[in-house]
């Protein structure tokens, strides 16, 4: 049994928490607050094919450091995860890497929708958390840029009771936009090349498909005010449309290209301060259901290439909870809201059985984010040098407590 004494619950009451465990352990948690451990529904742990950027050993350590005990991983691997065989091979590799670390991280996998492999979807329906559709091209080769194929995927998903996680940026618009500034070396161009128009059109297609087929959607990384308005409208109509935003869209904006250049290049791109404000309001209004980090590690040697050559994506799994706790210390959201966004809503949307995993946080602890303390293989963060107030101190996974300060 793991016994946690003198811990505060969300309401601020001091309690003793007991969790079933293989070993007997007691933690005196005076000064700490207990939250459900975080689920990160959107990571790219890069296995198979790009393990120089991350694997499930470094990924699992980064997860635990961030108070995360369950992740949902994306299929844009090399090769992309688009067949039952590839899914099985990916699971075998993951399980081996996790067993090397001794961290039994909980995970689910998204399956890649691919025009050439639609018949695979029904075969894997009980082995995945959902289907990932890239409506615009991003890292990797996965792409559904044909409306008919997109609708087929949405129909198959509805028939098989699967949720569609949509990267909603319309490829045709992205292609048009990128012709405008072909020679630009300015990282800010990224936000112009992936203008809001692309996101609006793609999201409208998702909503139309939901009306037509009854498809349940998880709209990834909301980044603009128009998406918030569309999701609000869809929810009011009772459509099964759920929405995620990322820490980077909440805490960074287009202004940050100045400091970070291509390091803060990601898809969808950084947006305006006005969009950021609308995202915050949507978080507090309950239009945005979850925070997914879109943890997309790339090495600095790649990220620091000139614009046009640098890959899109940033790491985020270790800094998400501290950023949210810091925002709470500034009065931007409540502890209850953090728990909804990082755990409860995800369990409910993806029908995950609840468990006793928790994270003990010190709401008053201040620490500076430092690259060399990060567990991700890529070892950098666009939040480095920020002093944040509120940090996880213990992560408890399956009854085993990991002291993050040790
Ligand atoms: O910025 C991004 N990076 N967006 C994506 O859609 C993919 C991700 C990656 O895998 O690098
Ligand atoms: Zn992603």
């Amino acid at each position: 049994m793991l016994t946690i004494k003198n811990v505060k619950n969300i309401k601020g009451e001091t309690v003793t928490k007991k969790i079933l465990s293989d070993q007997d352990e007691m933690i005196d948690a005076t000064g700490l607050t207990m939250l459900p451990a975080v689920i990160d529904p959107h990571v790219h742990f890069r296995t198979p094919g790009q393990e120089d950027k991350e694997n499930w050993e470094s990924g699992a350590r980064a997860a635990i450091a961030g108070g995360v005990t369950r992740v949902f991983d994306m299929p844009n691997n090399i090769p992309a995860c688009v067949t039952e065989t590839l899914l099985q091979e990916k699971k075998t590799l993951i399980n081996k890497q996790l067993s090397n670390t001794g961290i039994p991280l909980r995970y689910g996998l998204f399956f890649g929708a691919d025009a050439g492999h639609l018949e695979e979807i029904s075969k894997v329906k009980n082995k995945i958390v959902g289907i990932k559709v890239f409506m615009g091209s991003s890292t990797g080769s996965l792409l559904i840029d044909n409306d008919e194929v997109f609708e087929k995927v949405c129909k198959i998903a509805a028939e098989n009771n699967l949720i569609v996680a949509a990267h909603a940026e319309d490829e045709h618009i992205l292609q048009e936009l990128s012709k405008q500034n072909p020679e630009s070396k300015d990282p800010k161009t990224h936000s112009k090349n992936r203008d809001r128009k692309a996101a609006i059109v793609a999201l409208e297609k998702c909503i139309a498909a939901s009306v037509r087929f009854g498809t349940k959607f998880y709209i990834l990384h909301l980044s603009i005010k128009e998406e918030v308005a569309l999701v609000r409208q869809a929810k009011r109509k009772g459509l099964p449309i759920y929405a995620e935003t990322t820490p980077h869209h909440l805490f960074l904006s287009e202004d940050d290209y100045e400091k970070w250049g291509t390091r803060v290049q990601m898809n969808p791109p950084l947006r305006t301060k006005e969009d950021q404000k609308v995202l915050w309001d949507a978080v507090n209004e309950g239009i945005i259901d979850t925070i997914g980090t879109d943890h997309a590690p790339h090495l600095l040697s790649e990220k620091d290439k000139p614009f046009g050559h640098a890959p899109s994506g940033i790491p985020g799994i270790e800094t998400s909870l501290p950023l949210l706790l810091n925002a709470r210390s500034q009065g931007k959201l409540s502890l209850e809201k953090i728990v909804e966004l990082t755990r409860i809503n995800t369990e409910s949307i993806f029908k995950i059985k609840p468990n006793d995993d928790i994270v003990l946080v010190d709401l008053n602890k201040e620490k500076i984010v430092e690259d060399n303390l990060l567990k991700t293989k890529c070892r950098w963060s666009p939040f480095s040098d920020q002093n944040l107030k509120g940090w996880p101190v213990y992560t408890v996974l399956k009854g085993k407590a990991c002291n993050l300060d040790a």
Side-chain angles (χ1 to χ4, degrees), residues 42-44 74 76 132 134 138 167 220-221 244 267-268 293-296:
H42 188 163
V43 305
H44 299 264
M74 290 299 170
N76 58 333
K132 169 79 180 264
F134 280 93
S138 191
H167 181 122
L220 300 159
H221 33 51
E244 169 196 276
N267 307 328
T293 65
D294 201 357
H295 178 80

Side-chain angles (χ1 to χ4, degrees), residues 179-247:
K179 286 183 198 151
Q180 289 174 5
N181 307 293
E183 303 301 328
S184 173
K185 291 275 167 283
D186 181 357
K188 275 190 208 135
T189 312
H190 191 64
S191 289
K192 299 197 180 88
N193 285 353
R194 300 186 81 109
D195 182 80
R196 64 186 61 237
K197 271 186 281 190
I200 296 167
V201 167
L203 177 52
E204 283 170 344
K205 287 182 184 173
C206 295
I207 294 171
S210 183
V211 170
R212 187 158 165 211
F213 305 110
T215 313
K216 180 171 168 180
F217 276 94
Y218 180 66
I219 309 297
L220 300 159
H221 33 51
L222 253 62
S223 62
I224 51 170
K225 60 182 181 182
E226 291 88 347
E227 286 175 311
V228 169
L230 284 167
V231 171
R232 182 187 291 110
Q233 206 178 44
K235 282 184 191 272
R236 282 197 182 144
K237 287 186 187 152
L239 293 172
I241 305 267
Y242 301 91
E244 169 196 276
T245 194
T246 67

Side-chain angles (χ1 to χ4, degrees), residues 5-188:
K5 281 200 334 188
N6 302 323
V7 70
K8 283 207 165 73
N9 63 20
I10 294 179
K11 291 184 208 141
E13 302 155 342
T14 302
V15 297
T16 297
K17 170 86 178 166
K18 287 183 186 291
I19 298 176
L20 276 181
S21 172
D22 293 344
Q23 64 253 52
D24 272 330
E25 197 187 346
M26 214 272 295
I27 294 173
D28 181 354
T30 305
L32 303 181
T33 300
M34 169 175 67
L35 308 178
V38 172
I39 300 175
D40 188 342
H42 188 163
V43 305
H44 299 264
F45 276 0
R46 307 298 190 204
T47 291
Q50 291 180 302
E51 279 114 332
D52 55 327
K53 298 176 196 269
E54 198 79 286
N55 64 13
W56 285 71
E57 297 181 23
S58 53
R61 282 193 278 268
I64 295 298
V68 177
T69 62
R70 186 191 297 273
V71 298
F72 298 161
D73 187 60
M74 290 299 170
N76 58 333
N77 306 117
I78 304 175
C81 187
V82 295
T83 68
E84 188 180 25
T85 309
L86 287 165
L87 179 74
Q88 196 46 54
E89 285 170 8
K90 178 170 174 174
K91 279 194 180 175
T92 306
L93 284 171
I94 291 172
N95 293 342
K96 180 153 187 309
Q97 291 175 9
L98 286 180
S99 81
N100 291 343
T101 59
I103 301 173
L105 192 70
R106 302 176 198 267
Y107 71 90
L109 300 180
F110 281 106
F111 190 68
D114 180 56
H117 298 94
L118 297 186
E119 74 290 350
E120 297 282 321
I121 295 175
S122 63
K123 296 191 212 163
V124 298
K125 67 175 174 184
N126 296 320
K127 302 178 181 174
I128 57 175
V129 281
I131 304 171
K132 169 79 180 264
V133 177
F134 280 93
M135 300 172 77
S137 45
S138 191
T139 303
S141 57
L142 284 173
L143 178 64
I144 302 272
D145 59 355
N146 174 302
D147 288 352
E148 254 174 68
V149 179
F150 175 69
E151 284 168 11
K152 260 191 207 164
V153 173
C154 296
K155 187 163 180 284
I156 296 171
E159 286 164 358
N160 288 280
N161 206 11
L162 285 165
I163 191 165
V164 172
H167 181 122
E169 288 186 286
D170 185 81
E171 178 67 8
H172 303 282
I173 298 181
L174 295 180
Q175 292 293 340
E176 274 310 304
L177 289 165
S178 64
K179 286 183 198 151
Q180 289 174 5
N181 307 293
E183 303 301 328
S184 173
K185 291 275 167 283
D186 181 357
K188 275 190 208 135

Side-chain angles (χ1 to χ4, degrees), residues 269-319:
L270 292 177
R271 308 290 193 180
T272 66
K273 278 267 194 294
E274 189 192 346
D275 289 306
Q276 197 184 54
K277 163 139 197 348
V278 175
L279 292 179
W280 273 106
D281 290 345
V283 158
N284 282 310
E285 189 191 337
I287 302 299
I288 287 173
D289 301 283
T290 68
I291 306 282
T293 65
D294 201 357
H295 178 80
H298 294 286
L299 301 178
L300 277 182
S301 54
E302 306 160 307
K303 285 299 279 181
D304 288 345
K305 287 183 180 165
F307 177 65
H309 300 276
S312 293
I314 61 165
I317 197 167
E318 288 167 83
T319 43

